[in-house]
Amino acid sequence: MTAVVFLQRIFLLLVCVLCGLVDAFKTRSQYGQYDALLVARCEARCWFTPDKNSCLKHCLLQPLDKPGLCPKSDTVLTPFDAVCLDTCHQDSQCFALTKCCRHSCGITCQNPVELSTAKGVPDVPQDVKVTGGPKKKTVFLEWTSQIFAAPNSTTLFVIEERHHTGHNFIEKHLSDWSFCGRSPRPSQILKTIVKPGRWYQFRVAAVNENGTKGFSDTSPVFNIAVRPRPPKPPQNVTVSGLWSTSNGTLMGELRWSPPRSDLPIQRYKVFWSRRLHGAKPLDSVLVHQQVVPKEQTRFLLQDLQPNSLYFLQIQALVQYGKKRLKSQKSALILNTTDYISAPPTPTPPIYKTRNKIEGLRVQKMYWSSEGLRAKVIWKSKDEPQKYTVNLWTGPCFKGSKSRRNFKLTVTTQVSHFDLYDLHFSCKYRVGVRSVPDEDVASLEDSFITFVTPNCNEFKRTNRKTRCTD
């Protein structure tokens, strides 16, 4: 084979792969509400039709029998399945391989029997191999399969993946299986699927117009040889309109958009400092910082002074093993003089009164996979309401590794919050207040103080706890 012929074949292969990726993306975006195996079955049925899209839509609306047989109606079901209700009427309403079958108490989706011997259905793919693709952040999958051959028939391969982030592979942290591509050949190059800092496993199912026998065994664990980078700085940083409080200070809400990141954002850090008049441009005093959880993209700035300049910064944080990756800080200068210089409103607002938060207490302490947590609750208001929760640490006792004076601020729309990253044998103070509307005066926090137990005491009632005093 000459070099020219070899290059031509490589070029044609890449074109075919690219076309397959585009086609798979369109199918996934248009028919994402359907089961991936059902969509692939209809695609195989419509593969040679002139109007493939119209054929596919019609096929998805038709009742399709799945291969395999229903188990005997007297089969003993699990307590979760043994519900005397009809939950389906045809196989197409059942997920994945399950069939709509009758049992002694109703009609439900059940796993078929004798599926491996079903005729006219391709065998389960074998020996799934995963290697790095020709470019960074790509994966090359290949597998073996005995394709069922028949005139005007095609076999498609549905690919699913599961993954988790982290420096080391931990099987129990893997996500659920999700569709990531399909191919008419026993191989595929996946682009934009894999990201740095993640562990992946893949599986493949062979599907034709008669159905499928299911997915292959999982592939070996795979991660790309590219180290995750720190996240980009938070985007679209703004401060909403300021409003005055009863003590003459100002309040405003700082907002931002999550940045692009190789790894999921774990939390944000908000910094704010007041600049002195006559100081150099970068000089400031009273630098404050607070940690905001990943779900939060807003922060309530309180006790701002009129006629002042504030330097605001936001930083995104991710964790990779023992290493913390930090973004560059997004910055914004807030001039409260602009607020003071604004023309007065013709009619000053009438402030409603709102009672202080009541019933604030710690409902329970528990252990999660991320450490010690405490759930605080309080009495909710009748009308829709937002609340700000503040957390401070006090003194910690012998054996604790907690940092002192750590402060957390979050905003929630429900009358409870799970405090995280707590340490054993430490004293904490929690404050909760209502977030004021435009015509509601600001109120002081309601406070409680609690002490977390030591590790040995907590283990007696929470056996899954992983800690040492």
Side-chain angles (χ1 to χ4, degrees):
M1 182 186 301
T2 64
V4 175
V5 174
F6 176 76
L7 291 175
Q8 287 177 340
R9 290 188 177 183
I10 292 295
F11 175 76
L12 290 174
L13 176 62
L14 291 176
V15 170
C16 291
V17 169
L18 181 60
C19 292
L21 285 171
V22 172
D23 195 20
F25 175 78
K26 290 180 179 179
T27 302
R28 182 181 183 183
S29 60
Q30 290 179 357
Y31 305 104
Q33 73 273 27
Y34 294 98
D35 177 44
L37 295 176
L38 177 63
V39 175
R41 181 176 177 179
C42 286
E43 282 186 291
R45 172 175 290 191
C46 301
W47 194 259
F48 296 100
T49 58
D51 190 352
K52 186 183 297 186
N53 193 45
S54 177
C55 175
L56 182 57
K57 290 180 180 179
H58 177 74
C59 177
L60 291 172
L61 298 176
Q62 301 303 308
L64 297 176
D65 293 332
K66 294 183 179 180
L69 302 177
C70 283
K72 295 180 180 180
S73 60
D74 59 352
T75 300
V76 178
L77 302 178
T78 67
F80 298 101
D81 294 328
V83 180
C84 294
L85 294 174
D86 294 342
T87 59
C88 63
H89 302 287
Q90 59 192 39
D91 287 357
S92 300
Q93 296 173 328
C94 296
F95 181 73
L97 303 178
T98 56
K99 292 174 61 69
C100 188
C101 300
R102 180 178 295 278
H103 59 83
S104 58
C105 198
I107 304 176
T108 61
C109 295
Q110 301 177 47
N111 291 320
V113 296
E114 300 184 22
L115 181 59
S116 60
T117 59
K119 296 183 178 180
V121 182
D123 290 335
V124 174
Q126 303 292 325
D127 194 23
V128 180
K129 297 179 180 179
V130 189
T131 56
K135 295 183 179 180
K136 293 182 179 180
K137 299 185 181 180
T138 62
V139 171
F140 179 68
L141 294 179
E142 59 180 341
W143 53 91
T144 58
S145 178
Q146 295 181 353
I147 300 176
F148 176 75
N152 295 327
S153 176
T154 189
T155 297
L156 299 177
F157 297 97
V158 173
I159 307 168
E160 289 190 340
E161 64 85 17
R162 61 181 183 178
H163 66 272
H164 77 79
T165 59
H167 190 267
N168 299 309
F169 174 71
I170 304 175
E171 186 172 5
K172 67 179 181 179
H173 290 173
L174 287 167
S175 64
D176 295 332
W177 289 105
S178 63
F179 171 81
C180 66
R182 69 115 176 92
S183 172
R185 294 168 298 278
S187 63
Q188 180 69 305
I189 295 178
L190 298 177
K191 299 180 180 179
T192 70
I193 297 296
V194 294
K195 296 181 179 180
R198 289 168 169 81
W199 297 89
Y200 290 88
Q201 283 187 324
F202 299 90
R203 65 180 185 180
V204 183
V207 187
N208 69 2
E209 61 181 22
N210 299 319
T212 179
K213 292 182 180 180
F215 284 94
S216 66
D217 293 336
T218 57
S219 71
V221 180
F222 174 82
N223 68 338
I224 59 174
V226 177
R227 288 187 175 274
R229 297 170 298 179
K232 297 292 184 181
Q235 304 294 308
N236 305 320
V237 181
T238 58
V239 175
S240 64
L242 299 174
W243 63 89
S244 60
T245 66
S246 58
N247 60 6
T249 61
L250 302 175
M251 301 178 69
E253 191 173 55
L254 178 65
R255 300 184 182 185
W256 62 91
S257 300
R260 288 181 293 138
S261 177
D262 288 338
L263 297 172
I265 302 298
Q266 285 200 324
R267 60 193 63 185
Y268 298 96
K269 264 190 178 182
V270 177
F271 305 81
W272 71 102
S273 56
R274 182 184 174 195
R275 290 184 172 181
L276 290 177
H277 288 287
K280 295 180 181 180
L282 296 181
D283 287 347
S284 57
V285 295
L286 300 176
V287 178
H288 304 273
Q289 69 177 46
Q290 290 195 19
V291 176
V292 179
K294 59 185 178 182
E295 301 86 3
Q296 199 87 12
T297 56
R298 55 182 64 189
F299 177 77
L300 188 64
L301 297 166
Q302 305 180 64
D303 299 325
L304 301 178
Q305 297 298 316
N307 196 29
S308 300
L309 285 176
Y310 283 88
F311 186 51
L312 312 177
Q313 293 177 297
I314 307 172
Q315 185 179 47
L317 306 174
V318 302
Q319 195 77 26
Y320 184 60
K322 296 182 179 180
K323 188 176 182 181
R324 178 170 291 179
L325 305 179
K326 303 178 181 181
S327 75
Q328 294 184 354
K329 298 174 183 176
S330 298
L332 180 70
I333 295 178
L334 174 64
N335 189 350
T336 59
T337 305
D338 296 339
Y339 172 80
I340 298 301
S341 300
T345 53
T347 54
I350 301 175
Y351 290 105
K352 300 176 183 177
T353 59
R354 181 175 288 153
N355 294 330
K356 211 172 182 180
I357 296 296
E358 296 180 352
L360 177 62
R361 63 186 177 91
V362 177
Q363 185 185 46
K364 64 177 181 178
M365 295 186 193
Y366 63 96
W367 180 263
S368 73
S369 60
E370 299 177 353
L372 181 64
R373 294 192 172 199
K375 184 173 185 177
V376 293
I377 61 174
W378 56 90
K379 290 184 179 180
S380 62
K381 304 294 182 179
D382 295 333
E383 69 276 13
Q385 186 62 56
K386 290 183 180 180
Y387 306 94
T388 298
V389 181
N390 298 283
L391 174 69
W392 297 266
T393 61
C396 291
F397 305 101
K398 184 178 180 181
S400 173
K401 298 180 181 180
S402 172
R403 294 172 291 175
R404 296 172 61 89
N405 302 321
F406 171 81
K407 186 177 179 182
L408 167 73
T409 295
V410 296
T411 302
T412 176
Q413 293 182 331
V414 293
S415 57
H416 60 83
F417 185 77
D418 286 27
L419 303 170
Y420 54 88
D421 284 346
L422 301 182
H423 296 266
F424 291 99
S425 303
C426 284
K427 187 175 182 179
Y428 291 91
R429 187 183 190 215
V430 180
V432 179
R433 74 160 70 183
S434 300
V435 177
D437 299 324
E438 293 181 358
D439 57 346
V440 178
S442 173
L443 296 176
E444 294 182 358
D445 295 54
S446 296
F447 292 101
I448 59 168
T449 301
F450 67 94
V451 177
T452 56
N454 67 46
C455 176
N456 289 331
E457 290 177 354
F458 196 75
K459 276 185 177 180
R460 294 172 186 171
T461 55
N462 297 265
R463 296 181 179 178
K464 294 183 179 180
T465 304
R466 297 179 182 177
C467 62
T468 55
D469 271 341

